[in-house]
């Protein structure tokens, strides 16, 4: 008998994959029709989201997981993204909704002021 995959299993595997640069593995935890909304971008597909995430990961020095919460089909992570950009460290809250073993929705919250300034240059 196999154990059911939990929200914790999926979300932690996704987080650990993208933060170490394994975008193919991170993508495998996302539903094709992922609904992503963040302070800078919105995406309606996992492929479009992962393309943007790949660019962001290129600025990343490391992440520091601060707190995590899990429910049946929901999860939330609080972490710092330490970047090599003038934006420095971004305190980030990420909220997930899952269907089965796939992430179908992500809501990302952080102060994007410094990133917007960089993008305007």
């Amino acid at each position: 008998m196999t154990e059911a995959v939990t929200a914790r299993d999926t979300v932690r595997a996704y987080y650990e994959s993208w933060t170490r640069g394994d975008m193919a593995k991170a993508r495998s935890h996302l539903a094709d029709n992922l609904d992503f909304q963040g302070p800078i971008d919105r995406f309606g597909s996992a492929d479009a989201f992962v393309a943007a995430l790949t660019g962001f990961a290129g600025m990343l020095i490391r992440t520091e997981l601060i707190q995590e919460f899990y429910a049946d089909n929901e999860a939330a992570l609080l972490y710092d993204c330490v970047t090599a950009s003038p934006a420095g460290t971004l305190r980030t809250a990420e909220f997930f909704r899952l269907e089965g073993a796939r992430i179908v929705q992500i809501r990302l919250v952080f102060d994007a002021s410094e990133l917007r300034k960089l993008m305007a240059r």
Side-chain angles (χ1 to χ4, degrees):
M1 184 172 162
T2 60
E3 292 184 34
V5 176
T6 66
R8 183 185 191 286
D9 295 335
T10 300
V11 169
R12 278 303 294 270
Y14 161 77
Y15 171 82
E16 291 170 3
S17 297
W18 87 257
T19 59
R20 69 173 184 267
D22 188 346
M23 295 306 169
K25 182 74 171 169
R27 171 62 179 88
S28 74
H29 299 291
L30 304 173
D32 291 342
N33 63 340
L34 174 74
D35 174 16
F36 171 87
Q37 292 181 23
I40 295 176
D41 292 314
R42 292 175 182 233
F43 300 102
S45 76
D47 291 337
F49 168 69
V50 170
L53 182 61
T54 300
F56 175 75
M59 297 188 320
L60 202 61
I61 295 171
R62 69 181 178 281
T63 62
E64 298 169 358
L65 186 60
I66 298 165
Q67 189 61 266
E68 52 194 318
F69 300 96
Y70 300 97
D72 292 338
N73 68 339
E74 297 177 320
L77 300 180
L78 180 65
Y79 55 92
D80 284 341
C81 289
V82 181
T83 73
S85 78
T89 299
L90 303 170
R91 174 71 43 97
T92 304
E94 195 165 17
F95 301 91
F96 303 87
R97 191 168 59 79
L98 293 85
E99 289 180 5
R102 296 282 185 269
I103 298 166
V104 297
Q105 184 181 76
I106 297 175
R107 297 296 181 259
L108 187 70
V109 180
F110 64 90
D111 180 356
S113 302
E114 292 303 315
L115 285 179
R116 284 190 183 106
K117 288 178 193 174
L118 293 171
M119 292 168 60
R121 292 182 185 171

